[in-house]
Amino acid sequence: MRSGLIAAFRELDATCDAIEALKKQKFEFTVYTPAPRHEIEHAVAAPMSPVRKFTLIGGLLGVTFGYWMAIWTSEYWPIVVGGKAIASWIPYTIIGFESMVLVGALSTVAAMFIHSRIPKITATVGYDPRFTHGDYGIYVAAAPERLKEAEATLRANGAVEVRGES
Amino acid sequence: MSQSTGSAGVKRREFLKVLGAAGAVTTSIGCSQEKVEKLIPYLVSPDQTVPGVSTYYSTTCRECATGCGVVAEVRDGRAVKLEGNPEHPVNHGALCARGQAGLQGLYNPDRYRQPMVREGGKLVPTTWDKALPLLSQKIGEVRSAGRATNVVFVDQHASGSFGVFLDSWLGAFGFPAHHQYDSDADLAVRAANTIAYGVAMPTLDFAAAQLVISIGADFLDGRGAGVPHQLSFADARAKLQNGPRFVYVGPRRSLTGLNADVWIACKPGSEDVIAKALLGAVGGAGGASIKDAADASGVTEATLQGLADELKNARPSLVLSGVSTPNAGVVATIVANINKATGSVGITVKPAEPMGGFTGAVGAEQMDAVSRAAAAGTVSLLFVRGANPAYDTPKSMKFAESMAKVPFKVSFTSYPDETSELCDLVLPDDHALESWGDAEATLGMISLQQPVMERIFDTKATADVLLKVAQGDPSAASKFPWKSYRDYLSSRFPGGTASFTQALTAGIASGSVASRDAGAAKITLPSETPAAIAGDGDYFLMVYPHAVLGTGAAANKPWLQELPDPVSKICWQSWVEVHPATARKLGVVAGDHITVRTAAGTVTAPAFVYLGIRQDTVAIALGQGHTAYGRYAKDIGVNALDALGGTWNGSGAVAYTQSRASISKAGAFSPLVTTEGSARQHGRGIAQALTVTDLVAGRLKEEKHHLPGDASHEFLPGLRSPLAADAQGDLADSTAKEQGMYDPKHWSGMAKRRWAMTIDLARCTGCSACVTACYAENNIPTVGARWQGRSLRPGSATDEGAWDTRPGANILKGREMSWLRIERYFEGGEDGSTDFEARFVPMMCQHCGNAPCEPVCPVYATYHSPDGLNVQVYNRCVGTRYCSNGCPYKVRYFNWHGFGEPERRQYAFPEPLHLQLNPDVTVRGKGVMEKCTFCVQRIREAENLAKLENRELKPDEFTTACAQACPSKAIVFGDAADESWSVAKLAEDARAYHVFEELNTFTAVVYLKRVNHTTAVGGAPAATPVSAAVPTAEGAR
Amino acid sequence: MASFVEPRRSNIASADVQLPGVTDYEQVDNEIIATLSPTKGWFGALAVAIALFLMGAAAWIYQIYWGLGNAGYAPPVMWGVYIITFVFWVGIGHAGTLISAILFLFRAGFRTTIYRCAEAMTVFAVMTAGLFPIIHIGRPWKFFWLIPYPNWRLLWPNFKSPLVWDVFAISTYLTVSSTFLYVGLIPDIAVLRDRETNPTRKRILAILSLGWRNSEPEWRHFMKMYLFLAAFSTPLVLSVHSVVSFDFAMALTPGWHATIFPPYFVAGAIFSGIGMVFTIIIPIRKFFKLQHYVTINHLDAAAKLCLVTSQVVGCAYIIEFFIAWYSGNAVEQDYFWNRVFGEWWWAAWIMLTCNMILPLSLFSQKLRRNASWLFILSIFINIGMWFERFVIIVPSLSHEFEPWQWGGYVPSWVDMAILAGSFGWFFMWFLLFIKQLPVVAIAEVKEIVPPRLRSHARGKGLDAAGHHRDYGTETPGEFD
């Protein structure tokens, strides 16, 4: 059975120190920050977000679909207008472009949702409303026997308060 | 079959549903019990009637005295279209706008639907069973009172045997012979002709002449034998450099004048002196000197001398007169003498081949006599049929007032016009398309008139009524053995009943049923001392019959009200024509009301500033200003006769140009209801013309290039060039894989044709008959009626304030729906001189090979058919109107209101007008685009017929409505991809051009340049008047 | 203990603009949330907007029943107020995306405090614009025929038609910009959720916030996603108005058939959009007391952008005239002469004055930094840009190739009622928005507020352990 600790910090540097320390001690933890801060990003040094891959794939799908729809429908009813070619690809570029943007953009958002696990239906464990207000937070998930060690590290690095979560 | 349905006013759709049901199509589609009852009579179909298949009857047009032969297309028991009878010697298949609109007379919603009798001061419906005894009783009273000789019968003027029949009927009761009253007839000319040539209306051969001089003769404005003259004139002009040069002499440039090469603007009333001068020039007796003529007419001597020289040089020539001044008879006589002196009689003027139908008419002078008698109380009984003297005689004659003094007045007129509204008993006549009759086509030719459908209202043919009355009278019965007027005709028909029945197919036969002795009509020798143009005031007032509405009999037909006047392009309105200089002097702009005051009365109408009129003259057209005559005619414009007195033209007709007038700005303003945007081409080469010199020298291109464009796309003749393929994109390329129906080898065979049209501007006179033909064929709604315009104020249908009740309210917003319009552009004359040219361009969808309207439509509602048509799919159209923005020719029209929706007040076809709707063409709903389709329904009909008969289309097998009607034969339609069609040849003519060809639209309509005869006949200096020839008002006194 | 390091690259949002008036995160939350409480003035404004909207709706129903004949159309002027207003609103929309996306990519910090407003404006403007093609067509109940939807007849729209391009461009633009707006709102909604005391509203906000927790992985993906959305919106915003300009450039009509149209329209759109931003943001910063968020520096920077686009648009006008003369095309020349000195001179001069001449005042820094002047100017710009579209559409159509068909045009009361109604519709949505959701992006403002550091706080209110004092009771949280 795993359990956890949640700590609140007031200062950015304190939070960063805590992160460094926890990393040294091989703790699993989640950081909360009222606004994205690069200091924290660097401290955590997490891998690059994979969202961009989805953007690429979505865009390619979109542009293909746009061209295909325009060309197929024209060929299906081969009707001449203004003496132009039945499937005139140049104007169809606009259709292709717009659907590229549409599908690409939507898949980007979808990717963000998937990777950051939202929407969340479950009650939020290891979270405190203060983290959207002004405070930084760290949630440490660990085996019960290591909790003392973790709390010590957090307090040592300037946690204003530390609370048990399970 | 349709007696019940007709009088019940059943809607056409229901009617067709019924037919469908009868044709064993499912009866379950929304057919109420009541409709099923209507099924019964149709279970046994009348012979000759196949549901959905047209039958054609040849009959005669009675809209004017000419008596053109028409073929009535009858579909499901309803006449849906009138077309000229190609076999007919008078009109050879052509038909004017007025003739085609006969249908709207037949289906006129304001026709009397049953007999009417005056009770408690107003006319109330009655039945024939009550009405006929009343008539007999009144006749009995008059006779027993011994006042039979005081009975007056006023009939409309029409040739044929009815007049004889009528006189014999009147005679049987001891009544005097009737008067054939015709306010439009040019009696002076007819009288003079009768004296000079022995016939009232000799055939004119313009093509034989080198020079045509018209002294006020408006033969292209629907005066006299309009269609035959126009045919002859167009054929003459089509001879191009060999055709006649045309000079028009008169104070106002009428439509005829606009077709002339030269306009000599002489002072009204001075025509006789000019004619005398010309007579003198060609060595006739009683001539005048050029100087006298110049002094009298305000035209320079040089001009007149030039004209005289031309007349001398031109052999043969043709001089025509048609002035309507008090001295009209004199002018006509002198002109006849000129033609004799030039030896043109027998060559250009052919008394040997006279036209029928122009004898026996009397004018307003006779009505004046009737009026005086009535006023004196000596008229015991008045019959009137068709004629409308209470409206079309000068107000100063007080015809209406004196008519009131007649104890009993009987009308046989079909419409509630000013005269019959004053009558005590109305016995509505059948329409010509519902009844039997005959006309005198040319002398010795009978043109038969037969009913083409069951009568739609409870009316009776007057002849049959007269028969019944006579047979009810013991003294007269013996003289009238015939069951009906049909029997009368057939029994007296040359060759008897058998040949009568036979003749009905062709509608034309030689011989005569019975024609009135021409002597019966009063021929007045023109008095040598004619009344001069009287009155004071700085201006001459010139009143003239409207080129479309004539003297007003046509005013109750929406097609004709909506048809812009060929000269002014104004519709649904009256106007006063003033010269720009005059307008400046009065400080008026177009639309400012002008009051014209004469001794006889005043008329106020908006000004139309027109180059084609002398500075010392103002002109007003007749035909409007009805105070009755149905919803389409009532309270529109003014009646110019209000300003005229009882001055006659020497032959009993009103002298329409009889007095001077003082004019003043009235203060009010009403915008002109015109279809004209700009009267100038701004050098865009829409209407192109050549001089004979250039034509002969082969200088066919105009110097200035109209629009810069891709020079690599020069016009390729015949439309069989790559552009025809271009019109079909890749798919016309036989190597292309996916070609669908555009494959030249496709089973439908569509892609192998390219429908195209040529319009010869050398022939076109701008008469606008094609426009009306288009309205009739394509169910185009008229939008100008006073109940069709919405005003700015919000409100419900019943809220009058929410309606813009100005006549032509929609047209003021440019919302007319005319798929085909005639554009009238002026060239030159910017300085107000008489030396300007008018060019007429029929403009309709050009069916571009590369149509700018097609690619912009988001829903493919318009696309290009494999056979070269620019197709409009009404039920796919969502109404973005983008196509119209793309169209350089602006020939697409939008349904702004529900003009095609019966439940709306704006409905353009109120019952029973909707019975005329062409079943082959959709009635468009609110919110969709429409435009010329090249009469696609006719194309498909012909193709299907060919398919059924398992053959190819024959060249020129069919044509469009406009081309069919054109009295100038200017429009030719056909397959340009096949040399055997005449359009293919014409498209290669040296004069051919496309409008805006620089836009590379590759139009399917090819125009042939107009040809102007600018150089004088015989090389003498051209008679080109300079602006000095137009004297100022002061100079006119 | 890791030494605190300066970030490798400076924070995006605070590139060049600072908010001296804002000192800590809590202040941001409290001040922004304070703006959400409704006021009498707001209710009044909302009532006016709704009234206008209802009037427009009534006029539209009237027009659908009677037919377009009740609008002022006078052929050949087949397009009128509706298309003018359509282009007008699409144009307005563009500034929003420009500010939120393009300026984001350019790291222009002054966007931070105004972009939320601009973005909302975009969404509502496009919502308004989207109505007009439907109002304009003859059979509005058939508008869906322009959309490629599978149907058993397999009838499809004509993809060669600029109007179908419009359908794609506008619907894509509406979808993407509203998505952009919403995802940008998620962290702020989370803030509202956590500050909210009313359980119902809290529940709703909880759902809207999708359970956002400000966790570091969320932020990581969020920033990446935001970057790519911006990267997509940038070409999109340029393409949309180019496509709108094709509606005209693709027709032969003199005055329309010009290759300069796409850039000319895009510039015009952004110009008009900035005008509308001023019209909206200046009252908001005044009535919401946000002067220390939307500072004069921000307005100054935006005014410079406005000046540049005004110059571009003016340049386009001049080039149009030059080309008309240089092409030697008589029809084109006729038209342009008629536009400026002919029957339409008044419209053309309103356009030139409002869009070219008046904005020149922005060369003066004094006026650039004068909020009242910017507001007045923005009204002129809105009028001028509406008339720009009028001048492009009406005179061209009324003065085409065929002189016989030249005509005039007078809008009817229906046109005007629907035009007014469109403003009602727009401001109805906008007013509802600004009282439900923050008009200033809380999270992004927090990014440019300097974070608390222990080093800052040395000796000030520290406890023995060198830490800040304990939480007071006013602080939300579950610790107590």
Side-chain angles (χ1 to χ4, degrees), chain A residues 5-19 22 29-41 43-44 126-139 154 157-163, chain C residues 4 11 23-26 195 213-216 219 443 445-454 456 468 471 475-476 479:
Chain A
L5 284 177
I6 178 161
F9 294 82
R10 298 220 107 190
E11 305 89 354
L12 178 59
D13 47 0
T15 321
C16 296
D17 296 348
I19 294 168
L22 288 167
F29 57 88
T30 316
V31 182
Y32 301 98
T33 158
R37 298 297 309 185
H38 290 280
E39 295 83 350
I40 291 178
E41 200 181 324
V44 173
Y127 171 72
D128 186 283
R130 216 185 281 142
F131 301 153
T132 59
H133 197 41
D135 286 7
Y136 305 88
I138 299 180
Y139 171 68
L154 292 165
N157 287 290
V160 185
E161 292 202 28
V162 181
R163 165 163 61 89
Chain C
F4 175 73
N11 185 304
T23 53
D24 67 8
Y25 293 172
E26 288 79 356
R195 304 290 88 73
R213 300 191 307 169
N214 273 3
S215 75
E216 186 276 339
W219 279 123
V445 170
K446 282 178 179 172
E447 287 183 45
I448 54 174
V449 172
R452 268 190 302 262
L453 300 176
R454 271 181 292 194
H456 293 173
H468 284 274
Y471 295 112
T475 321
F479 280 77

Side-chain angles (χ1 to χ4, degrees), chain B residues 569 675-682 684 686 706-708 790-797 802-803 813-816 821-825 843 852 854-860 874-882 884-890 892-894 896-898 904 906 926-929 995-996 999 1001, chain C residues 62-80 82 136-143 145-146 149 153 155-164 246-254 256 327-332 334-335 397 399-407 411-414:
Chain B
K569 290 295 164 185
T675 57
E676 171 188 271
S678 162
R680 298 283 174 178
Q681 296 195 66
H682 301 259
R684 298 185 185 185
I686 297 155
H706 299 290
L707 302 174
R790 294 289 290 170
S791 78
L792 276 182
R793 209 188 86 191
S796 69
W803 294 95
K813 295 204 186 84
R815 292 171 181 177
E816 67 275 4
R821 62 174 186 262
I822 308 277
E823 300 182 349
R824 186 259 298 114
Y825 288 115
M843 182 57 68
E854 288 166 0
V856 298
C857 177
V859 291
Y860 283 120
Y874 305 126
N875 54 1
R876 179 66 171 165
C877 177
V878 298
T880 66
R881 303 189 294 295
Y882 199 170
S884 171
N885 295 351
C887 176
Y889 308 92
K890 288 281 166 278
R892 293 179 148 268
Y893 301 89
F894 187 71
W896 297 104
H897 294 290
R904 289 179 185 273
Q906 291 148 314
K926 185 179 75 192
V928 302
M929 264 295 167
V995 174
F996 303 144
L999 296 177
T1001 46
Chain C
Y62 184 81
Q63 169 178 293
I64 289 175
Y65 176 75
W66 281 109
L68 282 172
N70 274 68
Y73 296 110
V77 182
M78 291 280 192
W79 286 3
Y82 302 144
H136 152 90
I137 64 177
R139 302 201 292 168
W141 51 92
K142 299 267 187 234
F143 78 95
W145 284 359
L146 275 73
Y149 64 100
R153 294 157 301 173
L155 292 175
W156 300 96
N158 171 10
F159 289 103
K160 299 181 192 80
S161 163
L163 293 182
V164 173
F246 290 158
D247 290 350
F248 306 101
M250 292 288 155
L252 279 176
T253 314
W256 285 10
S327 67
N329 180 331
V331 179
E332 199 76 10
D334 265 17
Y335 158 66
L397 291 176
H399 210 76
E400 260 234 53
F401 288 99
E402 189 82 12
W404 191 258
Q405 292 295 85
W406 286 353
S412 83
W413 68 272
V414 178

Side-chain angles (χ1 to χ4, degrees), chain B residues 8-24:
Chain B
V10 64
K11 295 201 169 39
R12 202 188 98 256
R13 281 189 187 70
E14 299 172 15
F15 187 75
L16 291 180
K17 257 192 218 153
V18 175
L19 290 178

